[in-house]
Amino acid sequence: MAYQGYLIKLGEQILPHKYIKADSFATTLITQDLDSYRDMEGVLHRTALQHRVNKIEFETPAMLTNAQVNELINIISSNYINSAEKKVLATIYVPEIDDYMTQEMYVPDISFSIYGIFKGVIRYNPIRIAFIAY
């Protein structure tokens, strides 16, 4: 399919590029193993599974306002399919396969660091956001 103009889509909602800091988007397509082991000679015997999972990380640009952070978090949280688990159905562009994968993913807890308050407006340091497939 190749790149279609977006990096992350949550449900049917595309996450705008303005919330992804340039040079910070990273994906890892993880190969899973089942009962792999090393024998007495130290040789690894792998049972690699067909089901691979994604891990996506990015930072927001610095100096987002409180309103922008609220909009970003609303885009994420309004697409939760299970809010207790912070689970979303995400479609992610994966450079390794030059295609998109859709998987159930969870959002690890997000830390917010305030850069400062200017003329009554909160501004934030870059915020790290991740999506990790089940």
Side-chain angles (χ1 to χ4, degrees), residues 3-9 13-25 58-62 64 68 71-72 75 91-93 100:
Y3 178 71
Q4 299 289 311
Y6 66 91
L7 296 171
I8 303 170
K9 182 165 59 169
Q13 188 171 15
I14 292 173
L15 186 72
H17 290 300
K18 70 181 181 180
Y19 291 121
I20 302 172
K21 183 175 92 176
D23 87 352
S24 74
F25 182 83
F58 66 92
E59 286 187 350
T60 65
L64 290 181
Q68 291 168 319
E71 179 183 22
L72 170 61
I75 290 169
T91 302
I92 308 295
Y93 175 70
Y100 289 87

Side-chain angles (χ1 to χ4, degrees), residues 33-50:
D33 286 77
L34 178 67
D35 300 328
S36 296
Y37 68 96
R38 291 197 182 273
D39 64 21
M40 296 296 288
E41 302 295 321
V43 175
L44 177 63
H45 299 269
R46 288 186 73 194
T47 306
L49 302 176
Q50 292 296 318

